[in-house]
């Protein structure tokens, strides 16, 4: 009788979370599909009308004013979601979704260097949290459904369901996973990815296909090269996170009226594009990422993207950090290839995920992403570089609300102290 009761409880748990995760996935996946459609339109429009870059300061001011007037309660973005998971207080306002969607599309239309994961994650989390009131979820269930929303958003915008599932579990705290949320996060990520694929033909959207033509056999040197590259990728992720947070803090101290911050940032970006004579470092930069996986590129590309993204995000433009981190990592890996006597395509692919792993403190999700995007055979190399990058990126990352679950390494003890 006891066994039958336990089995019944498990079946109820399974059905409950499959149902809730499916609803979250449909909402988040549909939002991501609409976002990808709008993002594609914004990018094509900007490329067709280069003069739009000069309106970036005005666009930045407008988005800043909208957030000041209507979005103060959701200004925290992804960090607000993480805080609510750790310490539930109140339902995420639904306005987070349309505000971040509109703000990100405007940022890309006029030429800011921002990403897209932050938008998808915020939309997924905000939409998922609306189910809290509808289904009268308690705090523990609310934590799980928010995590499922994060996973669904990440998976659907990149087309990486396994990485998305682990991202929702791994991003909350350094060195700790919430296994009780594994089923909802996995179900939401897989279904949300399929929802975007179903919307694809109707909206004419598709995920970018990445290919690594050569994965060398494992040898002592290739493994050593991954360790060396991992150190550099981790330090790069750390510098990016610290510089972005540092500029943001400086702007908030010096400029109290929030809309002026992206206005100034937009002016700096527009002038830099004009002075350099290239728009290579604005927008998502997908064509450059694809090129990095095919052929040698200028060694300074990663520095250019870092500078443009730090200015854009640090002054308040909306979007995300992850796709710019893919660009930075892929181009840095491309530059390191000849120095480490490795194929530039291989190190570009490893850098693509490893800089993100270090900056976000998510080595497992990043390794899975590498395997989903580039093939399972790259898994060993990606795992080594991502773990090393994670170790060398410090205890702070791009998400300020991320908690310290466990130390990244065992503390060193002086024998004299024992």
């Amino acid at each position: 009788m006891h066994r039958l009761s336990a089995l019944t409880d498990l079946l109820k748990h399974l059905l409950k979370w499959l149902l809730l995760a499916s609803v979250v996935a449909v909402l988040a996946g549909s939002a991501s599909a609409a976002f990808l459609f709008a993002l594609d339109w914004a990018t094509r429009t900007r490329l067709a009308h280069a003069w739009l870059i000069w309106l970036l300061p005005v666009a930045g001011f407008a988005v800043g004013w909208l957030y000041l007037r209507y979005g103060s309660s959701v200004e925290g973005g992804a960090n607000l979601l993480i805080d609510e998971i750790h310490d539930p207080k109140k339902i995420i306002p639904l306005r987070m979704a349309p505000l971040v969607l509109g703000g990100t599309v405007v940022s890309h239309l006029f030429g800011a260097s921002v990403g897209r994961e932050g938008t998808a994650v915020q939309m997924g989390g905000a939409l998922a949290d609306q189910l809290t009131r509808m289904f009268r979820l308690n705090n523990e269930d609310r934590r799980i459904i928010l995590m499922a929303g994060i996973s669904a958003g990440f998976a659907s915008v990149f087309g990486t369901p396994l990485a998305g599932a682990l991202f929702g579990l791994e991003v909350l705290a350094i060195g700790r996973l919430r296994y009780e949320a594994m089923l909802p996060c996995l179900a939401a990520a897989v279904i949300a990815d399929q929802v975007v694929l179903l919307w694809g033909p109707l909206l004419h959207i598709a995920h970018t296909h990445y290919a690594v033509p050569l994965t060398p056999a494992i040898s002592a040197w290739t493994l050593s090269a991954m360790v060396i590259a991992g150190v550099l990728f981790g330090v790069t992720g750390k510098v990016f996170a610290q510089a972005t947070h540092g500029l943001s803090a400086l702007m908030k101290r010096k400029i109290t009226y929030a809309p002026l911050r992206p206005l100034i940032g937009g002016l700096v970006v527009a002038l830099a594009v004009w002075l350099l004579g290239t728009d290579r470092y604005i927008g998502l930069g997908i064509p450059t990422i694809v090129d990095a996986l095919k052929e040698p590129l200028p060694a300074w590309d990663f520095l250019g993207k870092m500078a443009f993204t730090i200015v854009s995000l640090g002054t308040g433009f909306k979007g995300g950090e992850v796709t710019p981190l893919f660009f930075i990592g892929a181009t840095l890996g491309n530059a390191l290839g000849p120095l480490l006597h490795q194929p530039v395509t291989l190190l570009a692919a490893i850098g693509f995920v490893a800089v993100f792993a270090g900056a976000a403190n998510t080595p497992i999700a990043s390794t899975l992403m590498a395997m989903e995007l580039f093939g399972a055979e790259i898994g060993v190399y990606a795992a080594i570089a991502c773990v090393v990058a994670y170790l060398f990126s410090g205890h702070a990352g791009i998400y300020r609300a991320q908690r310290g679950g466990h130390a990244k390494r065992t503390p060193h003890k002086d024998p004299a102290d024992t």
Side-chain angles (χ1 to χ4, degrees):
M1 190 68 182
H2 176 71
R3 290 181 178 178
L4 180 60
S5 177
L7 179 60
T8 302
D9 287 343
L10 281 175
L11 288 174
K12 287 180 179 178
H13 175 82
L14 177 66
L15 292 174
K16 168 187 171 180
W17 283 111
L18 286 179
L19 172 63
L20 290 174
S22 297
V23 176
V24 169
V26 171
L27 294 173
S30 297
S32 288
F35 173 49
L36 290 172
F37 173 79
L39 201 56
D40 181 62
W41 168 82
T43 301
R44 286 187 286 105
T45 302
R46 175 176 54 79
L47 291 174
H49 305 284
W51 55 267
L52 286 172
I53 188 68
W54 293 111
L55 296 179
L56 183 60
V58 178
F61 182 90
V63 172
W65 183 86
L66 280 173
Y67 265 84
L68 180 64
R69 182 70 175 83
Y70 301 105
S72 57
S73 60
V74 297
E75 181 67 30
N79 289 299
L80 175 60
L81 297 177
I82 295 173
D83 278 334
E84 283 294 327
I85 293 171
H86 287 299
D87 185 20
K89 292 180 180 178
K90 58 182 181 179
I91 305 297
I92 302 292
L94 183 58
R95 70 182 65 181
M96 173 184 274
L99 277 173
V100 74
L101 172 62
T104 304
V105 172
V106 168
S107 295
H108 280 282
L109 176 62
F110 294 99
S113 177
V114 294
R116 52 187 173 176
E117 113 292 336
T119 305
V121 163
Q122 289 177 55
M123 291 193 301
L127 291 168
D129 207 16
Q130 307 313 305
L131 302 183
T132 297
R133 186 178 293 111
M134 184 183 302
F135 290 97
R136 298 181 180 178
L137 303 179
N138 58 35
N139 280 344
E140 190 54 39
D141 285 350
R142 181 175 177 237
R143 289 188 179 100
I144 293 175
I145 207 160
L146 279 171
M147 294 166 69
I150 290 173
S151 291
F154 190 96
S156 58
V157 84
F158 291 124
T160 53
L162 295 181
L166 261 295
F167 181 80
L169 297 168
E170 195 176 19
V171 74
L172 305 178
I174 297 173
R176 187 175 67 201
L177 295 178
R178 296 282 299 271
Y179 285 98
E180 72 274 18
M182 185 172 291
L183 171 65
C185 286
L186 179 61
V190 172
I191 297 171
D193 177 53
Q194 291 300 308
V195 168
V196 170
L197 294 179
L198 289 174
W199 277 110
L202 181 63
L203 299 179
H204 303 289
I205 55 173
H207 295 298
T208 304
H209 175 69
Y210 301 103
V212 178
L214 175 65
T215 302
I218 292 177
S219 68
W221 175 243
T222 56
L223 297 179
S224 300
M226 294 306 119
V227 173
I228 297 169
V231 173
L232 297 174
F233 293 145
V235 172
T236 301
K238 180 179 181 178
V239 170
F240 175 87
Q242 290 181 339
T244 304
H245 292 322
L247 178 59
S248 178
L250 176 65
M251 294 296 288
K252 288 177 181 177
R253 284 199 309 270
K254 299 296 184 182
I255 303 172
T256 56
Y257 188 56
L260 288 179
R261 299 169 200 151
L263 185 149
I264 293 171
L267 184 60
V268 170
V269 169
L271 287 173
V273 168
W274 176 64
L275 290 172
L276 293 175
T278 179
D279 61 359
R280 187 177 183 82
Y281 306 120
I282 60 176
L284 290 174
I286 297 295
T288 303
I289 295 174
V290 172
D291 288 344
L293 296 166
K294 294 180 180 178
E295 59 194 25
L297 298 180
W300 56 83
D301 270 348
F302 79 98
L303 291 173
K305 188 61 172 178
M306 277 188 72
F308 274 79
T309 307
I310 289 167
V311 170
S312 296
L313 293 174
T315 56
F317 281 95
K318 303 303 174 184
E321 300 91 345
V322 174
T323 305
L325 286 170
F326 292 162
F327 184 119
I328 293 165
T331 50
L332 175 57
N334 186 284
L336 291 175
L339 299 178
L340 296 177
H341 303 289
Q342 297 296 313
V344 294
T345 54
L346 173 67
L347 273 184
I350 298 300
F352 182 112
V353 294
V355 172
F356 166 54
N361 291 307
T362 54
I364 303 175
S366 301
T367 301
L368 285 174
M369 173 172 269
M371 297 171 71
E372 288 183 296
L373 292 178
F374 306 120
E377 60 276 7
I378 205 172
V380 171
Y381 296 134
I384 292 171
C386 287
V387 169
V388 173
Y390 166 76
L391 289 173
F392 277 81
S393 64
H395 287 282
I398 53 178
Y399 303 110
R400 285 185 173 276
Q402 196 174 51
R403 306 290 173 91
H406 296 284
K408 291 188 176 183
R409 62 183 180 87
T410 304
H412 173 73
K413 291 186 178 180
D414 193 316
D417 295 334
T418 60

